[in-house]
Amino acid sequence: MKASRLSLFSLLLVFMLVLSGCFSGQTDEPSSSPPKDDGEKTAEEGKEPEEAPAERKILYLNNNEEPGALHPGIAQGTHDSWILEHAFEGLTKKTPEGEIVDGMAETWDVSDDNLTWTFHLKDGILWSNGDPVTAEDFEYAWKYALNPDSASDYAYQLYYLEGAEEYNSSEEESKFEELEAKVGVKAVDEKTLEVKLAQPTPYFLDLTSFYTYYPVNKKVQEANPDWSHEASSYVSNGAFKLTEWNHKESMKLEKNENYYDKDKIKLDEVQFVIIDNEDTAWQMYQADELDLAYPLPQDVQGQLVDSGNPEFNNGPDFSVYYYNLNNNVKPFNNVKVRKALAMAIERNTITEHVAQGGQKPAFGIIPPGINDVSGDFQENSGDLFKEDVEEAKKLLAEGLAEEGMKKMPKFTILYNTSDGHKKIAEAVQEMWRKNLDFTVELENVEFQVKLDREKAGDYEISRAGWSGDYVDPMTFVDLWVTDGPFNDANWGNPEYDKQIEIAKTSTDQKVRMEAMHKAEQILMEGMPVVPIYFYTKPFMVKPHVKGIFTPINRYPQFIYADIEK
């Protein structure tokens, strides 16, 4: 047991002993009767000593933001997904080795044309409240996310289904019911789910492990549309269940005894503290109040990267750190201005002296880790633009002149509260001051506030990051299609949209990859967003915690973790 927790436990134990004395009639005076010693054991004395209950295995960690939504159909960020990935399970799931295996589905069949998938659910799978998980729960959940009234930002991830985009993009409420019926997902019976795709999708099976594809208990949703807002009404089907949620303070997950694979789950509890300050989380880790700390302060990462500390873990992360430029706001509507801003940032300085986690400077938007037809997609792309201060000065002057401006107007970089994001913003602020001779303001807000303001277009430049939802370049390039739900830069290009459509509809991997390479080149020529670096995944975990694994596109996973002391 950890020292800080032991202190609290000791105080509680003393308090309980005092109460025990008060209510049992005990006093400090000696007993008036001598102890019984007649050679015979009393009934109590004759009992075998009871075995002490096993100490509960509890994992302590931090979530760096209050979840915005813990409903699979509404969630949109890593501050949501880390909880959802452990409280829910889709048709499939991923092993520590990254293999896609059976989850709620025991088996599945695929038609010869790769358009019809039939999933057969396991026997005896249950929700945390004891209800059976049915194929109808999957159909209901997917159609819920697609319903225009749900306002799901991630509904587009279901557009691979036949009729899904038409339903989700409809503005005629009178047609909703008719369009919903045409969506390519149907519960044939309680254990059989039939899915029809609009076109063959090479990564569809990977998508079925993503949280937008999780089921929702239809009975619970219809009885209480706000079931996901509080722990007391929360119902899920994964390895853990949400039992406490003190908003903006802490959350507790407990082992779900109704989970079909519960014998493989070793943890009894997972306790999250919600902290948006990396330094505070690091201090708690050092004081043994956290078992796992992620993310880490940037200066700490710099000290640990080559330290050989066995508690330090680092590896690739399928993510890119970038800045949105609001193309609807002058002068960011001008491509020359956008390119100037990108070319005047010194990325090696940021990765080596600010971020300090072994990150790789980004001169494109798609990170390493995706197979191309041959080799790695990012390596084959190479650098799609360059840093050049003199060229940046020239482009900025030309772009401002085209917008009728003599100098850069006042504007602000918006970032979510984090010392790391602040330091990067300050570095960029100084680089633009030094290299382009203008000053930018900085503004920090809570993560969910930042997301909401980006969606509303209420910003000029904003810090952003994207982690791939599945391992294919499409999870990045489809972000910036015209009017896409995550196209917060408000940019559009017909040729870009065309290449994305080719990549989505072709069954030829060579054609798909070539189209996505072209799309990335078009994106960087238009520069609606400014790539900064490709993430790594540095975190600390205590030696007594075993079984943590890190899929390339997800936070550290603790589903099979164990506490060994």
Side-chain angles (χ1 to χ4, degrees):
M1 186 173 286
K2 300 180 178 177
S4 58
R5 295 172 207 155
L6 183 58
S7 300
L8 179 59
F9 179 78
S10 300
L11 289 172
L12 182 59
L13 183 59
V14 171
F15 181 64
M16 290 173 66
L17 288 171
V18 170
L19 287 180
S20 175
C22 291
F23 289 101
S24 64
Q26 293 177 356
T27 70
D28 291 334
E29 297 178 5
S31 170
S32 58
S33 302
K36 184 176 181 180
D37 187 14
D38 56 6
E40 296 182 7
K41 291 183 179 180
T42 65
E44 287 296 319
E45 290 173 327
K47 285 185 178 179
E48 290 293 325
E50 292 185 8
E51 186 176 332
E55 184 178 346
R56 287 176 67 79
K57 294 183 176 182
I58 305 174
L59 181 71
Y60 294 83
L61 64 165
N62 63 296
N63 200 16
N64 62 339
E65 295 285 347
E66 165 78 0
L70 289 183
H71 188 300
I74 306 298
Q76 61 170 317
T78 49
H79 58 319
D80 306 328
S81 64
W82 207 9
I83 307 294
L84 289 172
E85 287 161 359
H86 293 88
F88 278 83
E89 185 169 288
L91 293 166
T92 62
K93 60 184 178 183
K94 290 188 176 180
T95 67
E97 296 73 34
E99 182 184 0
I100 301 169
V101 297
D102 54 287
M104 291 284 111
E106 184 79 46
T107 60
W108 48 87
D109 309 309
V110 188
S111 62
D112 291 340
D113 60 7
N114 291 309
L115 290 176
T116 302
W117 293 67
T118 306
F119 295 90
H120 308 281
L121 303 191
K122 287 181 165 74
D123 292 329
I125 48 178
L126 301 173
W127 289 99
S128 57
N129 68 349
D131 292 343
V133 178
T134 68
E136 188 178 17
D137 291 327
F138 281 93
E139 176 185 354
Y140 178 81
W142 297 5
K143 288 181 175 179
Y144 174 89
L146 287 167
N147 189 320
D149 289 338
S150 297
S152 170
D153 289 315
Y154 255 119
Y156 80 99
Q157 289 290 27
L158 293 155
Y159 283 6
Y160 301 99
L161 276 60
E162 190 177 77
E165 184 172 5
E166 291 82 356
Y167 176 38
N168 182 246
S169 58
S170 175
E171 296 180 358
E172 298 182 55
E173 192 167 351
S174 61
K175 292 186 176 181
F176 285 1
E177 187 174 344
E178 174 189 347
L179 291 170
E180 180 185 298
K182 295 180 180 179
V183 173
V185 56
K186 179 183 179 182
V188 178
D189 55 43
E190 285 195 351
K191 292 180 55 182
T192 309
L193 186 73
E194 183 182 80
V195 181
K196 293 187 175 181
L197 304 182
Q199 61 270 328
T201 305
Y203 44 88
F204 180 69
L205 197 62
D206 196 333
L207 275 169
T208 60
S209 69
F210 183 63
Y211 60 80
T212 309
Y213 282 77
Y214 291 163
V216 167
N217 187 312
K218 178 182 178 181
K219 185 171 69 174
V220 169
Q221 175 75 41
E222 291 183 339
N224 177 16
D226 296 330
W227 64 271
S228 63
H229 296 180
E230 302 293 340
S232 59
S233 53
Y234 205 79
V235 177
S236 60
N237 71 320
F240 297 90
K241 56 186 179 181
L242 180 66
T243 56
E244 288 184 16
W245 188 356
N246 300 308
H247 293 278
K248 298 189 177 182
E249 293 180 6
S250 64
M251 309 181 76
K252 181 167 78 173
L253 298 176
E254 294 188 73
K255 181 177 179 178
N256 179 10
E257 291 299 326
N258 285 330
Y259 184 55
Y260 68 91
D261 222 5
K262 64 182 179 182
D263 291 343
K264 292 183 180 179
I265 310 306
K266 307 303 181 185
L267 296 176
D268 295 299
E269 291 181 23
V270 181
Q271 295 203 10
F272 286 89
V273 288
I274 299 171
I275 302 173
D276 62 11
N277 186 297
E278 294 98 330
D279 289 312
T280 302
W282 172 239
Q283 289 164 11
M284 292 180 69
Y285 180 85
Q286 290 179 300
D288 284 344
E289 294 173 355
L290 293 179
D291 294 309
L292 187 154
Y294 179 70
L296 298 171
Q298 292 168 333
D299 57 341
V300 171
Q301 292 177 178
Q303 297 166 20
L304 291 169
V305 164
D306 297 315
S307 68
N309 188 320
E311 297 179 26
F312 179 70
N313 294 261
N314 199 7
D317 193 0
F318 195 46
S319 307
V320 60
Y321 192 108
Y322 63 95
Y323 277 174
N324 284 306
L325 305 178
N326 191 340
N327 286 224
N328 286 343
V329 176
K330 281 192 174 188
F332 309 113
N333 59 311
N334 189 289
V335 65
K336 292 180 178 178
V337 172
R338 300 196 297 266
K339 285 186 173 181
L341 297 179
M343 296 170 73
I345 294 174
E346 301 158 26
R347 288 162 181 77
N348 275 320
T349 298
I350 291 174
T351 56
E352 293 177 11
H353 302 293
V354 184
Q356 303 182 68
Q359 296 88 350
K360 179 180 178 179
F363 294 91
I365 208 70
I366 299 174
I370 308 176
N371 290 331
D372 205 337
V373 175
S374 175
D376 182 89
F377 189 96
Q378 191 275 324
E379 290 181 5
N380 290 344
S381 294
D383 293 349
L384 299 179
F385 66 97
K386 62 181 179 178
E387 294 170 7
D388 187 331
V389 173
E390 292 307 312
E391 180 66 12
K393 289 178 180 177
K394 175 177 173 289
L395 288 173
L396 182 63
E398 291 176 359
L400 290 175
E402 289 173 5
E403 300 304 320
M405 298 177 175
K406 293 183 178 180
K407 63 179 182 178
M408 282 292 284
K410 291 183 178 180
F411 66 93
T412 300
I413 296 176
L414 180 70
Y415 65 93
N416 51 294
T417 302
S418 158
D419 191 54
H421 298 325
K422 178 183 178 182
K423 288 178 179 178
I424 291 171
E426 288 173 339
V428 171
Q429 179 189 48
E430 174 58 19
M431 291 169 187
W432 285 343
R433 185 202 64 77
K434 179 184 70 173
N435 295 333
L436 297 178
D437 195 27
F438 66 81
T439 301
V440 58
E441 300 296 322
L442 307 180
E443 180 185 5
N444 74 291
V445 294
E446 290 182 359
F447 189 36
Q448 193 61 46
V449 173
K450 183 192 82 80
L451 294 178
D452 293 341
R453 284 182 57 179
E454 286 170 334
K455 289 290 176 286
D458 180 21
Y459 78 97
E460 290 133 349
I461 296 182
S462 71
R463 169 266 152 192
W466 190 263
S467 182
D469 300 326
Y470 47 92
V471 186
D472 189 274
M474 185 60 71
T475 190
F476 291 92
V477 293
D478 69 356
L479 296 177
W480 293 283
V481 294
T482 303
D483 296 327
F486 287 95
N487 186 352
D488 296 328
N490 300 306
W491 175 79
N493 181 294
E495 183 59 28
Y496 182 85
D497 296 346
K498 176 183 174 183
Q499 296 302 324
I500 301 304
E501 185 64 18
I502 291 171
K504 281 191 172 183
T505 56
S506 176
T507 57
D508 186 322
Q509 277 294 87
K510 184 177 180 181
V511 171
R512 291 187 69 249
M513 293 299 171
E514 285 179 355
M516 288 187 283
H517 276 297
K518 289 178 182 177
E520 188 181 21
Q521 290 171 344
I522 293 168
L523 185 72
M524 291 296 91
E525 287 168 4
M527 202 63 72
V529 297
V530 176
I532 307 295
Y533 61 71
F534 297 124
Y535 281 87
T536 52
K537 197 178 295 174
F539 65 96
M540 294 289 283
V541 62
K542 297 292 183 181
H544 59 258
V545 179
K546 310 297 182 182
I548 299 289
F549 66 99
T550 54
I552 191 172
N553 62 333
R554 294 186 180 177
Y555 271 28
Q557 302 287 291
F558 51 80
I559 181 172
Y560 300 122
D562 197 0
I563 305 291
E564 297 179 3
K565 293 188 180 180

